[in-house]
Amino acid sequence: MSKLKLATVWLDGCSGCHMSFLDMDERLLKRISRERRPHAGGRRGEQRRRSAQDSDRAAADNHLVSLGDCAVTANVPGMRNSFGVKAVYDRAYRENVTFDPGIPNQVVPALLPYSRPVHEIVTVDVFVPGCPPSADTIFYVLTELLEGRQPDVSLKTRFGS
Amino acid sequence: VGEAVKQGKTIIIDPVTRIEGHSKITLHLDEDGAVEEARFHVTQFRGFEKFCEGRPFYEMPSLMARICGICPVSHLIASAKACDALLAVTIPPTAEKLRRIFGLAQVVQSHA
């Protein structure tokens, strides 16, 4: 069986999905390549060109997985949307602060007007809801992708699980 | 610790590892190279302080657990204690012990 090259990015989550990811423990090592730092930006680009010469068809496909409720629906980060950026900034950085209140405007990135699910920004191939999805669910998804199948997670996880 | 880059009189540590969330540290040096100012920048901000307003108090423990996926139990128990205070109740000794076990279980899981 060929091995996966995996890249993960945390975005605006709590890391709980990454804890589930790591809870795959040694199962993960059997499924992934040890090559360091796969190029996350190469989803449709460099990795595909490189792997197109690979005889293993599964390896020729790159997949973007939207992992966890925050990625799938915006979930917790999206809860600020109904208040607006100014109100959430003011509450945290002005009203609740006794020393030198003020909204940070250096070094840290500004909030976008709304927190959005991943698929509104880029095309997603597989959605895996859950808060967080279990290690078993993530392992199932990776195994299915490696076998060239589209994972069906409908019976394995759910929103808020 | 992450990637430390010295840029003139500022040392930037980005990202800071071993924490939940995203952050960077900037160390501002004086002319002798001594640290004049150290700043901790929180680059992830979700707005819990605001979006909890108006929600049922009994949602808070499970919602606060989502502050951090590495130490959700700490946040859940802290929130549960706040809810106890809201209701002006004292939990029974068994519940107190359960919370302690719950907290210790998190420590075990983190270091397993």
Side-chain angles (χ1 to χ4, degrees):
Chain A
M1 181 180 284
S2 62
K3 293 200 169 186
L4 287 167
K5 279 182 206 156
L6 282 172
T8 68
V9 60
W10 183 332
L11 300 177
D12 210 8
C14 75
S15 82
C17 293
H18 275 76
M19 295 301 106
S20 258
F21 184 87
L22 293 174
D23 280 342
M24 287 190 285
D25 298 325
E26 68 275 8
R27 287 186 291 175
L28 185 59
L29 299 178
K30 294 172 186 165
R31 285 284 188 271
I32 62 169
S33 156
R34 294 294 188 89
E35 182 179 326
R36 293 190 66 225
R37 305 192 67 158
H39 181 17
R43 176 178 161 252
R44 295 288 182 208
E46 181 142 339
Q47 282 193 14
R48 166 163 285 192
R49 282 200 297 279
R50 193 194 314 156
S51 58
Q53 297 163 347
D54 197 315
S55 59
D56 189 306
R57 196 196 160 282
D61 287 325
N62 290 317
H63 303 276
L64 185 65
V65 178
S66 182
L67 180 69
D69 287 347
C70 293
V72 176
T73 71
N75 198 36
V76 173
M79 290 174 72
R80 71 169 167 87
N81 289 347
S82 59
F83 293 93
V85 169
K86 185 179 184 305
V88 294
Y89 268 151
D90 281 347
R91 187 68 185 144
Y93 290 117
R94 287 210 174 101
E95 297 163 19
N96 280 352
V97 175
T98 51
F99 175 73
D100 197 16
I103 294 166
N105 57 8
Q106 298 171 43
V107 184
V108 296
L111 286 185
L112 295 171
Y114 297 100
S115 181
R116 311 307 306 167
V118 169
H119 63 275
E120 284 194 19
I121 313 298
V122 291
T123 303
V124 166
D125 303 304
V126 184
F127 293 90
V128 185
C131 189
S134 69
D136 285 347
T137 299
I138 301 171
F139 185 73
Y140 163 78
V141 168
L142 295 181
T143 302
E144 291 294 286
L145 291 176
L146 203 54
E147 298 286 349
R149 294 188 292 263
Q150 178 74 11
D152 176 7
V153 297
S154 57
L155 296 178
K156 297 189 177 294
T157 187
R158 60 180 171 78
F159 290 104
S161 71
Chain B
V1 176
E3 183 182 348
V5 184
K6 187 170 179 180
Q7 296 177 334
K9 290 181 180 177
T10 305
I11 295 172
I12 301 171
I13 300 166
D14 180 25
V16 178
T17 60
R18 306 297 184 271
I19 63 158
E20 192 285 332
H22 310 297
S23 71
K24 67 173 80 172
I25 291 171
T26 54
L27 303 171
H28 305 268
L29 308 182
D30 64 18
E31 290 177 356
D32 301 324
V35 176
E36 196 170 54
E37 195 175 22
R39 289 188 170 181
F40 176 71
H41 310 272
V42 178
T43 51
Q44 183 183 15
F45 174 76
R46 285 171 291 174
F48 279 85
E49 300 86 346
K50 187 67 184 176
F51 67 59
C52 291
E53 291 177 6
R55 303 194 75 88
F57 77 92
Y58 48 79
E59 280 187 2
M60 292 302 123
S62 57
L63 188 55
M64 292 308 109
R66 271 66 186 182
I67 287 177
C68 174
I70 301 168
C71 59
V73 171
S74 307
H75 294 281
L76 189 151
I77 292 176
S79 181
K81 287 179 174 177
C83 291
D84 293 345
L86 270 178
L87 297 173
V89 297
T90 304
I91 62 171
T94 306
E96 174 72 31
K97 288 188 174 73
L98 281 172
R99 282 186 187 173
R100 285 179 180 276
I101 292 170
F102 193 27
L104 291 168
Q106 174 184 255
V107 174
V108 170
Q109 188 195 29
S110 278
H111 296 273

